[in-house]
Amino acid sequence: MNLHSSPLAADAFIKARHRIAGTVLRTPAVPSPSLVQMCGAPVHLKLEHLQTTGSFKLRGATNAVLSLDEVSRSKGVVGVSTGNHGRGLAYAARQAGIRCVICMSRLVPQNKVDGIKALGAEVRIVGISQDEAQVEVDRLVAEEGLTLLPPFDHADIIAGQGTVGLEVLEDVPQVETVLVPLSGGGLISGVAAAVKAEKPDVKVIGVSMERGAAMAASLNAGHPVQVPELPTLADSLGGGIGLDNRYTFRITRDLVDQVVLLSEVEIADGIRHAYFEERQVVEGSGAVCLAAIVAGKAQLSGPAVALLTGCNIDMNMHRRIICGETVDVMHEGEG
């Protein structure tokens, strides 16, 4: 895709950055001596898991909420979520003083459900997949007039997530590779578009799990496809991309240079490495970029930035993982 054919205006990321500045933190990018020693290239970790709601998702949600007109605000917002988008949307809606409903499947860990409820949002648990939860979202839009703010396939969401890319360029201007968790594609679309608009030769690597990676399967098929949503330590990367995907499939296809898939063991190793070597508590989905480097699946030829994107892990599960226990996600998930 030519960058100029993006659905986002050329200044969308700059406008989003100014719009969200009062609510969203500017997170640091710090060097990782352990990864430098491991792969022989400078590596910085973008600590987006230190965001106010524990995830990068607050950026897109805030930008989308603050972009609504008054009529839409008066009726409220609704979204489907595997956890972190719901928390971000709930927080942004509370800050704006508007109603928020979050629909989730039974696969979402309980700690993430509780976190969303604590922010004042209404929670609906529907079915065993994000696609099934979306049915309830569609009903609320049709019958109650709520505005749908999806987790990824929305121009304002993408623009908000892309502000991460602006910060990467400022903090590590010599960057040659950026590793980004890959799910529905909102984050990687925004980051890739923002970074490559300034530095087209930067390599963007998307990282996901082997179990139910919908975007990876869609890229392989050449069009959006459905895949079974399976339990995984990287639960926030679960869910489909939508068969009627408007933005993120095309942007990911055209701007992302490589996709890496990780086993559950490799994701657990990433969580442990984050804790013992980087002193960071990170959930499975937030640890996949670091895990890809540790597993030797991401080849770095120059300065790199790996995004750590979420910390909303059940702490009992975290304790078990860092103690070396093999967790059976087929039966437990993260919650």
Side-chain angles (χ1 to χ4, degrees), residues 138-161:
D138 295 340
R139 186 191 69 79
L140 289 167
V141 170
E143 296 181 9
E144 299 187 27
L146 275 70
T147 296
L148 167 61
L149 292 180
F152 51 88
D153 198 31
H154 187 287
D156 292 329
I157 297 290
I158 297 168
Q161 317 305 28

Side-chain angles (χ1 to χ4, degrees), residues 6-314:
S6 167
L8 302 172
D11 60 351
F13 303 114
I14 300 297
K15 287 184 176 179
R17 184 174 192 174
H18 290 305
R19 191 175 291 123
I20 70 178
T23 302
V24 174
L25 298 178
R26 190 192 190 290
T27 57
V30 301
S32 170
S34 70
L35 295 180
V36 170
Q37 186 175 18
M38 183 177 297
C39 63
V43 179
H44 282 72
L45 300 176
K46 175 67 168 166
L47 306 185
E48 193 61 19
H49 66 297
L50 302 182
Q51 194 53 257
T52 304
T53 57
S55 164
F56 76 94
K57 289 284 192 176
L58 181 60
R59 294 176 183 262
T62 300
N63 189 51
V65 166
L66 294 180
S67 298
L68 294 174
D69 59 36
E70 288 303 318
V71 173
S72 297
R73 289 192 185 200
S74 69
K75 294 183 178 181
V77 297
V78 62
V80 66
S81 176
T82 52
N84 287 334
H85 173 64
R87 194 182 295 236
L89 189 55
Y91 185 93
R94 186 177 71 174
Q95 293 297 102
I98 65 178
R99 181 189 180 195
C100 178
V101 182
I102 303 298
C103 300
M104 296 177 286
S105 82
R106 293 195 295 272
L107 291 180
V108 176
Q110 188 62 43
N111 69 296
K112 293 186 175 180
V113 175
D114 294 341
I116 292 169
K117 289 180 178 178
L119 290 169
E122 303 168 41
V123 173
R124 312 279 175 92
I125 305 298
V126 182
I128 58 170
S129 73
Q130 188 165 266
D131 289 336
E132 291 183 24
Q134 182 66 43
V135 174
E136 176 66 6
V137 171
D138 295 340
R139 186 191 69 79
L140 289 167
V141 170
E143 296 181 9
E144 299 187 27
L146 275 70
T147 296
L148 167 61
L149 292 180
F152 51 88
D153 198 31
H154 187 287
D156 292 329
I157 297 290
I158 297 168
Q161 317 305 28
T163 61
V164 174
L166 298 181
E167 294 176 14
V168 166
L169 289 174
E170 291 173 353
D171 292 343
V172 191
Q174 71 278 22
V175 64
E176 294 182 14
T177 303
V178 181
L179 295 93
V180 185
L182 177 60
S183 179
L187 177 61
I188 205 165
S189 292
V191 169
V195 169
K196 292 198 174 200
E198 182 71 22
K199 297 187 68 175
D201 293 334
V202 170
K203 182 179 182 181
V204 177
I205 300 176
V207 188
S208 198
M209 66 287 178
E210 293 176 351
R211 295 177 53 80
M215 183 62 82
S218 297
L219 293 172
N220 287 337
H223 57 86
V225 297
Q226 288 183 315
V227 299
E229 189 171 337
L230 303 172
T232 171
L233 289 174
D235 61 271
S236 288
L237 301 184
I241 71 166
L243 296 181
D244 57 349
N245 188 286
R246 296 183 298 164
Y247 303 130
T248 61
F249 172 77
R250 178 163 54 95
I251 299 173
T252 302
R253 179 195 64 196
D254 294 346
L255 296 186
V256 174
D257 300 283
Q258 179 184 359
V259 173
V260 171
L261 301 182
L262 301 176
S263 70
E264 297 301 305
V265 170
E266 289 167 337
I267 295 169
D269 287 343
I271 294 172
R272 282 190 283 270
H273 185 95
Y275 183 77
F276 288 112
E277 300 297 334
E278 311 296 342
R279 299 296 187 263
Q280 304 293 334
V281 174
V282 187
E283 63 184 279
S285 59
V288 292
C289 295
L290 186 156
I293 298 173
V294 172
K297 289 187 171 180
Q299 303 303 316
L300 309 180
S301 57
V305 175
L307 274 55
L308 303 187
T309 53
C311 68
N312 297 315
I313 187 172
D314 178 87

